[in-house]
Amino acid sequence: MFENLSDKLDRAFKVLKGQGTITEINVAETMKEIRKALLDADVNYKTAKAFTDDVKQKAIGQNVLTSISPGQLLTKIMNDELTELMGGSTAELNFPATPTVILIAGLNGAGKTTFTGKLANFLKTQKNKKPLLVAGDVYRPAAIDQLEVLGGQIGIEVYANRESKDPIAIAREGVARAKQNGNNVVIVDTAGRLSIDEAMMVEIEQVKAAVNPHEILFVVDAMTGQDAVNTAKVFNDRLDFTGVVLTKLDGDTRGGAALSIKSVVNKPIKFIGTGEKMEALDVFHPDRMASRILGMGDVVSLVERAQQQFDEKQAAELQKKIRKNKFDFNDFYGQIQQIKKMGNMKDLMGMIPGVGKAMKDIEVDDNAFKAIEAIIQSMTPFEKENPDSINQSRRNRIAKGSGTNITEVNRLIKQFEDMRKVMKQMSNPAAMASMMKRMPKM
């Protein structure tokens, strides 16, 4: 996410490296490089110019403390200004009524239906809501099927009327159904439409008038860059939407849409999509995104993702097993599944300060766990529960059954044993204290 932009901004800051003070000359040179980096990222020209002018004005004349370099000071100013550029503060959804009606709008192929499912899952699991999905796309083949499949995956009802071709009536019927069923949120999926298609734009205005939504979310493909911003402006003029959703931020995103859209339409980015899985949806935090763009990581979001997969009861049971040295391959496999649910591996690593830059030229395969999973799945139930029973003949059978080789099986079992020893020590305060005493003095 934003790797090219981050890299170019990092190079721009090097102009100030070794400088003792911030001057108009060295700041002007740095701002030139930063403006170029923003334009390369497909940021709106007026936005890029206004942004660098603001940063330059705040940087010139700043006194540099002996403990802070000019580059560090400019990074702080840039962080503050990027945060402000992307909205300043987090914009949450509002739930002023029961049911709260959320209308989803956007272009063809932006990922509206997938986002609709993700949002319903988010509201159910994170906000304790009871949403109803309404299939309002009557034009795209299999759109209703797609929404019903997503609803089935996350256990949420979908209202659809396959006999009707009137999205306005379907939206009304969906809201009525929600009131009957006690749903406190209604999410209306709509067909993708081009802003130049007047008939379709009038139609969505009529859908809005029919259900009087409390939130209108405009879904835009982040990979389309400046085009996304221009389209958002046209849709906002017609719908006056309440927030923006950026999808496909896990792809080759230059960052222009995220950095420009708030300043152009003056509406906040509320969510970002970071993958295809139903859990791959994050609330947009401008300050955290600014830190990530500047290569400073985002530990808070990383911890939040981990907490979403955290089961307190399971954790307590796992802790007991670790203390009794009963941690087995079933537990290990379960931990892998929880990590996978947290999202794209390279994206997760980019949240760790300093790791993002180190990983920029390294490809991280999201299928990295597949060999490990295959090895564990090739074990018998007895072997999974009793790792110490896996002798050489069993290892040979496991290697053959998993499509790996004996070296990979031996490596996994050795790593598992080492990890189990460390976990056992960490669960024992006395052992940890003894280990700390044996450590050499610094």
Side-chain angles (χ1 to χ4, degrees):
M1 190 190 299
F2 304 135
E3 287 177 12
N4 290 336
L5 176 59
S6 299
D7 192 38
K8 288 175 181 176
L9 290 177
D10 188 46
R11 288 202 297 268
F13 289 138
K14 287 180 180 176
V15 173
L16 288 175
K17 192 173 183 180
Q19 302 288 332
T21 59
I22 286 181
T23 68
E24 188 161 354
I25 294 174
N26 58 33
V27 166
E29 190 177 349
T30 304
M31 288 304 105
K32 181 180 176 182
E33 292 300 315
I34 289 174
R35 187 181 298 117
K36 183 180 177 182
L38 293 173
L39 293 175
D40 286 346
D42 209 12
V43 173
N44 176 279
Y45 175 77
K46 290 182 179 178
T47 301
K49 186 176 186 306
F51 175 81
T52 50
D53 287 347
D54 287 344
V55 173
K56 179 180 178 181
Q57 185 177 2
K58 291 185 178 180
I60 292 175
Q62 287 272 8
N63 292 321
V64 182
L65 302 174
T66 55
S67 59
I68 301 175
S69 70
Q72 290 171 329
L73 180 58
L74 188 61
T75 300
K76 170 65 170 66
I77 296 171
M78 278 283 292
N79 187 70
D80 292 344
E81 292 301 304
L82 278 173
T83 299
E84 198 60 35
L85 181 65
M86 291 186 288
S89 58
T90 305
E92 299 278 359
L93 287 178
N94 296 307
F95 303 96
T98 302
T100 294
V101 180
I102 302 174
L103 184 65
I104 311 298
L107 296 177
N108 293 306
K112 293 183 306 306
T113 301
T114 300
F115 166 71
T116 300
K118 288 181 180 181
L119 179 60
N121 184 60
F122 171 83
L123 295 178
K124 176 185 176 182
T125 59
Q126 304 299 318
K127 300 296 183 181
N128 199 29
K129 299 291 184 182
K130 184 185 178 185
L132 173 72
L133 295 172
V134 178
D137 184 351
V138 298
Y139 303 107
R140 182 168 63 88
I144 296 174
D145 293 339
Q146 182 187 358
L147 196 62
E148 287 182 336
V149 168
L150 294 176
Q153 288 176 0
I154 57 181
I156 292 176
E157 182 187 351
V158 176
Y159 175 78
N161 184 348
R162 293 178 181 272
E163 304 301 317
S164 174
K165 295 296 181 184
D166 183 355
I168 300 160
I170 292 170
R172 281 201 197 100
E173 293 164 8
V175 174
R177 177 66 167 267
K179 290 177 180 178
Q180 292 173 354
N181 286 2
N183 298 95
N184 48 22
V185 179
V186 183
I187 307 174
V188 183
D189 184 28
T190 64
R193 63 204 71 225
L194 298 173
S195 56
I196 58 174
D197 190 333
E198 182 60 22
M200 291 292 282
M201 291 302 289
V202 169
E203 180 186 271
I204 198 165
E205 287 177 318
Q206 292 173 339
V207 173
K208 175 187 174 183
V211 298
N212 192 25
H214 305 92
E215 292 270 3
I216 302 175
L217 299 180
F218 178 69
V219 181
V220 62
D221 182 345
M223 295 176 71
T224 57
Q226 195 54 45
D227 288 341
V229 179
N230 297 333
T231 305
K233 188 176 187 311
V234 176
F235 269 78
N236 190 49
D237 291 342
R238 301 293 290 263
L239 292 176
D240 189 26
F241 53 70
T242 58
V244 177
V245 178
L246 292 178
T247 62
K248 306 179 186 178
L249 271 174
D250 55 322
D252 184 20
T253 304
R254 288 188 287 173
L259 293 171
S260 303
I261 209 159
K262 174 63 170 65
S263 65
V264 174
V265 300
N266 197 31
K267 294 295 171 64
I269 302 170
K270 294 201 172 186
F271 291 97
I272 53 174
T274 56
E276 289 298 318
K277 295 177 182 176
M278 286 294 97
E279 297 84 7
L281 181 71
D282 292 332
V283 173
F284 184 74
H285 299 279
D287 54 340
R288 300 183 194 178
M289 187 58 70
S291 293
R292 293 190 67 180
I293 290 171
L294 294 173
M296 295 156 62
D298 181 6
V299 174
V300 177
S301 291
L302 182 61
V303 170
E304 285 181 353
R305 284 201 196 181
Q307 287 176 331
Q308 287 171 13
Q309 305 305 324
F310 177 81
D311 186 301
E312 195 170 337
K313 185 178 178 181
Q314 282 183 345
E317 291 173 355
L318 194 61
Q319 184 72 9
K320 287 180 183 177
K321 295 187 77 172
I322 291 170
R323 285 176 181 168
K324 295 177 181 179
N325 204 29
K326 296 291 185 182
F327 183 81
D328 60 27
F329 276 110
N330 288 318
D331 303 314
F332 187 42
Y333 187 84
Q335 296 302 300
I336 290 173
Q337 302 316 303
Q338 288 187 335
I339 292 170
K340 286 173 66 177
K341 286 180 182 179
M342 288 173 63
N344 176 284
M345 289 304 297
K346 192 165 185 178
D347 185 39
L348 293 175
M349 290 179 179
M351 293 181 179
I352 304 171
V355 173
K357 290 179 183 178
M359 298 292 296
K360 68 180 180 181
D361 296 322
I362 300 173
E363 287 301 318
V364 180
D365 189 356
D366 274 341
N367 295 322
F369 289 120
K370 275 197 170 179
I372 297 173
E373 290 173 311
I375 292 170
I376 296 174
Q377 288 168 342
S378 297
M379 297 176 184
T380 65
F382 177 79
E383 289 166 347
K384 291 175 187 175
E385 293 176 8
N386 300 274
D388 294 335
S389 71
I390 306 176
N391 57 25
Q392 192 59 46
S393 63
R394 290 177 184 268
R395 295 185 188 204
N396 289 332
R397 193 205 74 249
I398 291 168
K400 187 175 180 180
S402 61
T404 59
N405 58 54
I406 191 65
T407 302
E408 291 177 274
V409 173
N410 287 338
R411 185 190 304 122
L412 174 61
I413 293 175
K414 176 69 166 60
Q415 289 172 341
F416 175 81
E417 290 171 349
D418 291 344
M419 181 181 68
R420 195 159 59 157
K421 287 176 185 175
V422 172
M423 292 171 77
K424 173 71 173 169
Q425 285 182 327
M426 291 180 69
S427 69
N428 187 332
M432 277 294 290
S434 176
M435 186 171 66
M436 292 295 288
K437 286 179 181 178
R438 292 197 300 270
M439 290 181 65
K441 302 295 182 184
M442 300 299 290

